[in-house]
Amino acid sequence: MRGGRHIAAVTNVSFDLAAGECLALVGESGCGKSVLASALLGLLPGNAQTAGTALLTAPDDTPGTPAVDLLTAGERTLARTVRGRRVGLVPQSPAAHLTPVRTVRAHLQETLRELTGTRRAALRAAAEAAAERASFPAGLLDHHPHQLSGGQAQRAATALALVGDAPLLLADEPTTGLDRDLVERTVDELRRHADEGRALLLITHDLAAAERIADRVAVMYAGRIVEVAAADRFFGAEGPRHPYARGLLAALPERDFTPIPGMPPELGALPDGCAFAPRCTRRTDICRTLPPLTGGTACHHPLPVTPAPSPASDASPIAAPGHPAPAGTATAVEETARA
């Protein structure tokens, strides 16, 4: 920043994501979720610095394809072999990612031609099929971006992101501007993307959408991951153990409808130790030191585990019921992003 000052936007984030798995990344605005997605695709502004590794390995059905470190790969590699082909993106601001002088049909046809090699004679039908996959109205395919509502632009961007069937899909707030029926149809299509053996990183404020399709949930606060848990435990009777994560659930209208008091800290003025301590009713003097992520929770005073109403099953600890995750890691991330 000006005067040589640095702000840590994302710090010490570490997670893995398997083929066939959906990881939901949740948290309040400004906690670093979108910065993380931009870092993985080399889309951060020029004054940003990254350190660490973000290793994208090849799917099991493409032997011989080399792994790529997304944080150190050059722009040529990212543009020609990664973006769209190995990593798809549903952007948070779709209107800004669509070329204003081209129709949605033209966007889809170009993407189909580049990523799938669809022949000219088949492009029209293929574009309509791609639009239907994301519930984009066929009657709007010849509209330009400025003629679309926010929800329509969101569905157009989702259709574009799904074209290449990339092994890893980053969906950054893919349900913004959609009504509940379209939210469910959209996230169900994203879930099908994962069920076919691909990885999905869902960045969202919509906890109902996360509960519907996620296998695991990672909670970010002030640029750090403060909890990682299986989705069935997180949304179930046991619940999350970090007070912030528990507060996010309690704020839902269908639960306690009780907001978390206070506001997230400015990234340039983080308190010493636990960043959530000023808003936490469980804080003590030890919270002046930074808690490590241990056992899936970064808290000196984690909430006790609520006993589940029935005995634990033998299901995989990273797979929600109905969504078994195939073996094979799609990507592993350990990263610090500073701007």
Side-chain angles (χ1 to χ4, degrees):
M1 306 297 287
R2 290 180 179 178
R5 186 168 63 107
H6 286 81
I7 292 178
V10 175
T11 304
N12 294 335
V13 166
S14 182
F15 63 86
D16 63 357
L17 181 57
E21 183 187 15
C22 171
L23 174 66
L25 189 61
V26 304
E28 292 168 293
S29 296
C31 67
K33 304 185 301 296
S34 294
V35 172
L36 174 62
S38 295
L40 293 176
L41 282 172
L43 298 176
L44 289 173
N47 65 325
Q49 303 169 8
T50 59
T53 59
L55 189 64
L56 178 69
T57 61
D60 293 338
D61 59 357
T62 57
T65 302
V68 59
D69 185 346
L70 299 175
L71 295 188
T72 60
E75 175 60 25
R76 182 183 180 90
T77 297
L78 291 172
R80 295 195 175 190
T81 66
V82 174
R83 297 188 193 120
R85 291 172 171 81
R86 296 182 67 176
V87 183
L89 173 67
V90 180
Q92 185 179 36
S93 303
H97 285 72
L98 298 173
T99 304
V101 297
R102 307 191 68 190
T103 65
V104 176
R105 187 188 302 277
H107 280 87
L108 284 169
Q109 289 182 346
E110 179 186 33
T111 304
L112 284 160
R113 186 172 59 249
E114 292 295 324
L115 298 186
T116 68
T118 304
R119 295 180 179 274
R120 181 183 296 273
L123 279 175
R124 186 176 184 87
E128 292 173 358
E132 183 179 4
R133 186 177 177 187
S135 301
F136 184 85
L140 299 180
L141 279 170
D142 294 315
H143 281 47
H144 290 81
H146 73 275
Q147 297 173 298
L148 305 177
S149 68
Q152 290 163 355
Q154 186 69 64
R155 281 177 279 166
T158 301
L160 287 165
L162 291 171
V163 163
D165 285 326
L168 170 63
L169 182 62
L170 308 181
D172 191 357
E173 299 293 351
T175 60
T176 301
L178 305 182
D179 60 35
R180 180 48 53 182
D181 179 62
L182 282 173
V183 166
E184 293 178 355
R185 288 165 64 183
T186 297
V187 297
D188 286 349
E189 184 60 44
L190 296 176
R191 180 67 233 188
R192 277 191 286 274
H193 181 86
D195 287 341
E196 292 172 356
R198 307 179 189 96
L200 171 63
L201 178 62
L202 174 67
I203 298 172
T204 186
H205 291 112
D206 190 338
L207 293 177
E211 182 177 10
R212 186 177 179 91
I213 69 167
D215 297 304
R216 287 186 297 156
V217 179
V219 182
M220 286 193 76
Y221 187 78
R224 294 177 179 270
I225 288 182
V226 297
E227 182 158 7
V228 180
D232 54 351
R233 194 208 82 187
F234 187 91
F235 293 107
E238 293 184 42
R241 301 195 64 200
H242 196 284
Y244 174 65
R246 189 72 65 92
L248 289 178
L249 286 184
L252 294 175
E254 61 269 26
R255 299 212 180 199
D256 298 338
F257 205 25
T258 303
I260 302 173
M263 297 290 291
E266 295 291 334
L267 293 177
L270 292 177
D272 294 333
C274 175
F276 185 64
R279 306 172 70 186
C280 185
T281 59
R282 300 172 66 84
R283 66 181 180 272
T284 63
D285 287 345
I286 195 175
C287 298
R288 295 175 182 172
T289 62
L290 189 67
L293 185 66
T294 304
T297 307
C299 182
H300 292 299
H301 306 292
L303 291 155
V305 175
T306 303
S310 58
S313 70
D314 294 329
S316 166
I318 66 169
H323 300 311
T329 298
T331 185
V333 178
E334 184 172 352
E335 171 185 358
T336 298
R338 304 170 60 199

